[in-house]
């Protein structure tokens, strides 16, 4: 199916474990983003990528790693999960300048760290 | 830095009531402004946007006017429906290096009762 998909949709893990959240888009959008959504904070940008092999930090990058070896995939890895990383994670993409506002979001991945 | 402030929710209304969700922003340049909507269990979707002062964005009966003098972008709808129950996010675009990013407010939950 066309669009942007995230997996897993739900994940429970333990403190200290490595977790990878996957994001895949079928539009060949150049820009991709990872946000986390927490009560009282709205959406905060973790990392973004302007193209394959180009990534950069957002507002809250600590504890996260990303890669973009292919245009369509943008995985987010928590190398050693902490309870503070319990959140809902959203991947988004857009083809051009973000100033157009046309970000397309995945359905989210709910992560619980015990 | 740039920021977006929204009224805290939840906002509870009866069907056919008038809706206003306040949004104010701070920005150093000339941002574009957006409203996104998140229905239960889904990702965010662009609802409307305005790219310059005095522009009015509209969609699905919702409207918002870009007011530079008051740095505001309040969302309004004349007659809400139960199906409008969702979380609404105000956002602005901000230039970051050679690209743009979106800065989101914390979101306002709207609950419409029949």
């Amino acid at each position: 199916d066309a669009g942007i998909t995230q997996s897993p949709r739900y994940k429970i893990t333990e403190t200290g474990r490595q977790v990878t959240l996957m994001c895949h888009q079928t539009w060949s959008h150049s820009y991709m983003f990872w946000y986390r959504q927490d009560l009282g904070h709205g959406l905060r940008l973790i990392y973004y990528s302007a193209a394959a092999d180009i990534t950069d930090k957002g507002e809250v990058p600590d504890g996260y790693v990303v890669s973009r070896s292919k245009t369509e995939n943008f995985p987010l890895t928590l190398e050693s999960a902490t309870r503070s990383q319990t959140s809902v994670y959203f991947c988004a993409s857009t083809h051009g300048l973000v100033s157009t506002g046309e970000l397309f979001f995945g359905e989210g991945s709910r992560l619980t760290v015990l | 830095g740039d920021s977006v402030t929204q009224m805290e929710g939840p906002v509870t209304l009866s069907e056919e009531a008038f809706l206003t969700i306040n949004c104010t922003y701070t920005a150093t340049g000339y941002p574009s402004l957006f409203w996104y909507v998140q229905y239960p269990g889904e990702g965010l979707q662009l609802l409307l946007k305005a790219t310059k002062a005095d522009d009015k964005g509209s969609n699905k009966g919702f409207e918002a006017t870009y007011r530079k003098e008051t740095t505001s972008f309040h969302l309004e709808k004349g007659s809400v429906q139960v199906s409008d129950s969702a979380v609404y996010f105000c956002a602005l675009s901000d230039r970051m290096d050679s690209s743009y990013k979106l800065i989101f407010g914390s979101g306002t939950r709207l609950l419409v009762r029949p």
Side-chain angles (χ1 to χ4, degrees):
Chain A
D1 288 340
I4 182 165
T5 55
Q6 295 182 229
S7 62
R9 293 290 311 279
Y10 303 92
K11 176 74 176 178
I12 300 174
T13 192
E14 295 177 337
T15 301
R17 291 196 181 260
Q18 183 179 79
V19 176
T20 295
L21 306 180
M22 304 300 295
C23 180
H24 176 77
Q25 51 101 357
T26 60
W27 295 303
S28 298
H29 285 171
S30 52
Y31 287 88
M32 295 188 75
F33 305 82
W34 274 108
Y35 287 90
R36 61 177 290 174
Q37 182 179 27
D38 304 289
L39 274 175
H41 291 281
L43 273 77
R44 292 181 290 177
L45 182 64
I46 304 170
Y47 269 95
Y48 69 100
S49 169
D53 296 322
I54 300 175
T55 63
D56 211 341
K57 297 178 180 179
E59 182 184 356
V60 288
D62 292 344
Y64 303 95
V65 174
V66 294
S67 61
R68 186 113 181 260
S69 56
K70 293 183 178 181
T71 299
E72 60 267 29
N73 296 324
F74 191 40
L76 176 73
T77 298
L78 289 67
E79 293 191 305
S80 178
T82 65
R83 290 199 178 114
S84 65
Q85 292 178 309
T86 293
S87 186
V88 181
Y89 292 85
F90 286 98
C91 180
S93 71
T94 188
H95 63 86
L97 287 177
V98 181
S99 59
T100 67
E102 300 273 6
L103 257 64
F104 297 88
F105 283 81
E107 293 181 316
S109 295
R110 183 178 294 275
L111 176 67
T112 301
V113 183
L114 301 177
Chain B
D2 294 4
S3 65
V4 175
T5 302
Q6 292 182 235
M7 61 188 292
E8 288 193 20
V11 174
T12 303
L13 296 173
S14 298
E15 205 165 23
E16 299 183 1
F18 184 86
L19 168 71
T20 300
I21 299 178
N22 290 338
C23 172
T24 57
Y25 68 91
T26 58
T28 52
Y30 302 94
S32 295
L33 301 174
F34 313 92
W35 278 101
Y36 275 79
V37 59
Q38 183 182 28
Y39 298 104
E42 299 183 10
L44 280 72
Q45 305 171 27
L46 180 64
L47 180 60
L48 53 84
K49 66 180 181 183
T51 57
K52 61 182 186 298
D54 299 326
D55 269 3
K56 176 185 283 187
S58 61
N59 186 25
K60 299 181 181 180
F62 290 89
E63 293 183 340
T65 301
Y66 190 145
R67 301 284 188 200
K68 196 171 189 299
E69 64 277 13
T70 55
T71 63
S72 64
F73 192 55
H74 304 322
L75 182 68
E76 297 181 337
K77 187 175 186 183
S79 176
V80 294
Q81 305 300 312
V82 172
S83 58
D84 293 327
S85 297
V87 181
Y88 293 82
F89 292 90
C90 186
L92 66 79
S93 67
D94 179 30
R95 189 175 184 89
M96 178 172 60
D97 298 323
S98 59
S99 65
Y100 286 82
K101 67 174 180 180
L102 281 180
I103 297 172
F104 288 88
S106 57
T108 303
R109 182 177 298 277
L110 170 65
L111 177 61
V112 180
R113 300 190 184 280

